């Protein structure tokens, strides 16, 4: 049997081992606690702080111009329709102020301004939308309306340029209106053959 000195040595070694284990335990990396992920719209709010409010206003403007227009043959209904568009216009002005780089807001703002006869404002808003998205990606409703507005102002070359973007931007049935405008602009520039060929795309085959 080990003597007292041997037992004491074993006890000391056991004590040192326990201290070592304890120190190693303290040295272990603390349990990793992941940082809570940011709210999904955090960066959107940072980049476009008024975007959420602008979206709500955009929907309100759409609601205003899409209200049922029963009895539009009556004189009072024309005034009522204009009132809806004026409401939408005021809503969209605020939406644009809050979110000036929102192409949806700009596109609808341009449409409503056009309906109210505010041609220059409409062009400004639509051109801003095209600048953000690029003419190749902008919707035919935006580029087509731009072309129609430029044609109204007598800017035939600009009208043709925008209307050609609209012609390429959607299916044939989706851009008949803009094709007709394009043919009109070509005719005004004296390009009668091109105008006729453009119209042939939308004329029924039964019409000679």
């Amino acid at each position: 049997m080990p003597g007292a000195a041997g037992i004491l040595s074993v006890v000391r070694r056991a004590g040192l081992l326990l201290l070592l284990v304890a120190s190693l335990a303290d040295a272990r990396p603390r349990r990793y606690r992941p940082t809570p992920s940011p709210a999904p719209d955090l960066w959107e709010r940072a980049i476009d702080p008024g975007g959420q409010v602008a979206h709500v206003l955009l929907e309100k403007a759409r609601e205003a111009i899409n209200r049922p227009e029963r009895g539009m043959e009556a004189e009072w209904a024309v005034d009522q329709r204009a009132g809806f568009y004026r409401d939408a216009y005021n809503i969209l002005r605020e939406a644009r102020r809050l979110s000036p780089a929102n192409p949806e807001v700009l596109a609808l703002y341009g449409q409503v301004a056009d309906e109210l006869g505010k041609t220059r404002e409409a062009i400004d808003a639509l051109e801003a939308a095209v600048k953000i998205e690029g003419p190749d990606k902008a919707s035919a409703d935006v580029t087509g309306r731009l072309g129609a507005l430029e044609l109204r102002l007598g800017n035939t070359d600009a009208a043709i340029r925008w209307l050609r973007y609209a012609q390429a931007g959607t299916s044939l049935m989706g851009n008949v209106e803009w094709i007709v405008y394009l043919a009109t602009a070509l005719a005004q520039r004296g390009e009668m053959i091109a105008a006729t060929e453009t119209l042939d795309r939308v004329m029924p085959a039964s019409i000679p």
Side-chain angles (χ1 to χ4, degrees), residues 48 50-51 53-55 57-58 61 88-111 113 118-132:
D48 185 12
V53 177
H55 178 74
L57 293 175
L58 180 64
Y89 173 77
N90 292 328
I91 292 170
L92 289 165
R93 284 186 66 184
E94 178 63 12
R96 185 179 183 182
R97 186 188 69 80
L98 291 169
S99 186
N102 186 321
E104 288 186 88
V105 170
L106 292 167
L108 193 59
Y109 184 98
Q111 175 189 333
K118 301 177 183 293
T119 303
R120 290 295 180 184
E121 283 190 52
I123 290 176
D124 173 70
L126 295 172
E127 284 183 342
V130 172
K131 187 175 181 179
I132 292 167

Side-chain angles (χ1 to χ4, degrees), residues 5 9 55 61 69 80 100 111 130 157 176 192 203:
S9 176
H55 178 74
E69 298 181 349
Q80 185 184 49
Q111 175 189 333
V130 172
D157 291 343
V176 170
M192 299 306 299
M203 294 295 287

Side-chain angles (χ1 to χ4, degrees), residues 24 30 48 53 59 69 74-75 87 89 101 117 121 129 141 144 175:
L24 288 175
R30 296 185 181 276
D48 185 12
V53 177
E59 293 306 312
E69 298 181 349
E75 292 183 4
D87 289 344
Y89 173 77
E121 283 190 52
D141 287 337
N175 63 0

